[in-house]
Amino acid sequence: MTRSLFTPFTLRETEFRNRVMLSPMCQYSATDGMATDWHQVHLGTRAAGGAGVVMTEATAVEPRGRITPDCLGIWSDDHAEALESTVEFVASQGATPGIQLAHAGRKASHRPPHEGGDPIPADDPDGWETVSSTDRPYPVGEDASVDPAATRRLDGEGIDEIVDAFADAAARSRDIGFEVAEVHAAHGYLLHQFLSPVTNDRDDEYGGSFENRTRLLREVVAAVREVWPDGKPVFVRISATDWLPDRDSWDVDDSVRLAPLLAEAGADLIDVSGGGTHPDQQIPSAGPGYQVPYAEAIREGTDVPVAAVGGITEPTHADALVRNERADLVALGRELLRRPYWPLEAAHELGADVEWPVQYRRGQFD
């Protein structure tokens, strides 16, 4: 059978109705980490719009793991309950609901972008102490109005608490009906901070060698897999490269080497992005599909399925990525903000036979 963007895709015992995934995008609309009506509308609209996988934004596994005070969380049963109706609605529209489990590490305690994005000092009522692989705070630009929040290097006990926080968050997510758990290890957040030699200056079992720097991520993936249903998949989002070619950093070769280790730990798909470790990163020209080669390299170098992301906007382009076996899923971010019904539009353009929401079919539209 020829693969296409609208060919169902199965991982373990979970079938996605097509290969389009809503990429996680922060909404800065939570209240004390609690989901609001906005999240139901935002995620529910993309489900009704035909996406195969609808992924939440980065959802913090503990309060200090939020990027900003307005970010989503799932560190308590109350937080899970606030998301439950959204999960139910997404599933009712035929989409597969997924949650991205995240911890911002030293990139936490910042103002939202629309408020300037500056770091919030730990002694500010809205701020908190950040934690990381290092005690060096995330660098601030020359225009920042305040110094970065203090950052504490995690010790062994603190690392164990992080692993437990991811597992507990995954268990809550499982109990309210999420079908995909994605571990966020990209964009310079906590797990990426342990992976990259740019941010990992440790000399213990979690630093130094490739094996040691990847240890925490492998432990988190294994802990999430242990509580996640056997028939449902676990994704891991990584930055394939730090985009820092002039220094010792994480690169595509490291990512290719990492992928089978993540699969061994329990990951079923690698969601491939890039960058975020340091503000000096050199982002390549962000043309259509500019990050696809990273996903392709991992897919070619391993037997682990991948999701490709980055400037993918045209249905024919997305379809070709799947048909040519460059990616197994295609993740769209900003394009699905602009066009929430993009999958249904794409199906029409590509001549694919898909089922529209029942409310539209009741009208018997042509």
Side-chain angles (χ1 to χ4, degrees), residues 62-244:
E62 61 172 15
R64 64 184 178 177
R66 292 170 295 164
I67 306 166
T68 79
D70 298 336
C71 287
L72 194 62
I74 192 165
W75 61 80
S76 77
D77 292 345
D78 289 341
H79 288 86
E81 184 178 349
L83 273 167
E84 189 167 11
S85 63
T86 298
V87 178
E88 291 174 353
F89 183 82
V90 167
S92 76
Q93 299 305 300
T96 301
I99 184 167
Q100 187 183 66
L101 303 174
H103 196 299
R106 72 176 191 165
K107 292 183 77 174
S109 193
H110 279 66
R111 301 286 180 195
H114 63 276
E115 295 179 7
D118 285 341
I120 308 173
D123 58 0
D124 186 288
D126 293 330
W128 57 89
E129 177 190 59
T130 67
V131 296
S132 182
S133 57
T134 180
D135 56 9
R136 291 178 286 128
Y138 185 75
V140 299
E142 296 179 358
D143 297 332
S145 60
V146 295
D147 292 331
T151 297
R152 177 167 57 84
R153 184 191 306 267
L154 284 165
D155 59 16
E157 181 179 355
I159 288 173
D160 290 343
E161 290 172 354
I162 294 295
V163 176
D164 290 344
F166 272 93
D168 290 345
R172 293 188 191 97
S173 303
R174 173 202 66 205
D175 291 345
I176 60 172
F178 279 108
E179 297 182 51
V180 176
E182 176 168 279
V183 175
H184 195 358
H187 301 163
Y189 297 124
L190 180 63
L191 298 178
H192 188 185
Q193 290 161 26
F194 273 81
L195 291 176
S196 175
V198 173
T199 45
N200 188 332
D201 55 8
R202 307 173 73 92
D203 58 7
D204 62 3
E205 61 181 332
Y206 291 94
S209 68
F210 176 89
E211 179 183 5
N212 286 354
R213 286 184 284 110
T214 62
R215 188 183 306 276
L216 176 57
L217 175 56
R218 290 184 283 114
E219 290 179 349
V220 166
V221 172
V224 170
R225 179 75 269 172
E226 185 174 354
V227 302
W228 204 245
D230 287 342
K232 297 180 179 180
V234 171
F235 294 2
V236 181
R237 172 164 272 201
I238 65 169
S239 283
T241 171
D242 287 340
W243 285 327
L244 293 167

Side-chain angles (χ1 to χ4, degrees), residues 277-318:
T277 302
H278 196 280
D280 290 343
Q281 65 185 8
Q282 300 175 33
I283 302 176
S285 176
Y290 71 105
Q291 297 190 87
V292 170
Y294 308 145
E296 188 174 22
I298 291 170
R299 197 176 190 281
E300 288 181 348
T302 71
D303 59 358
V304 184
V306 298
V309 66
I312 301 166
T313 62
E314 294 302 321
T316 52
H317 182 195

Side-chain angles (χ1 to χ4, degrees), residues 45-63:
T45 300
R46 277 76 197 171
V53 181
V54 172
M55 189 72 66
T56 71
E57 64 196 87
T59 307
V61 300
E62 61 172 15

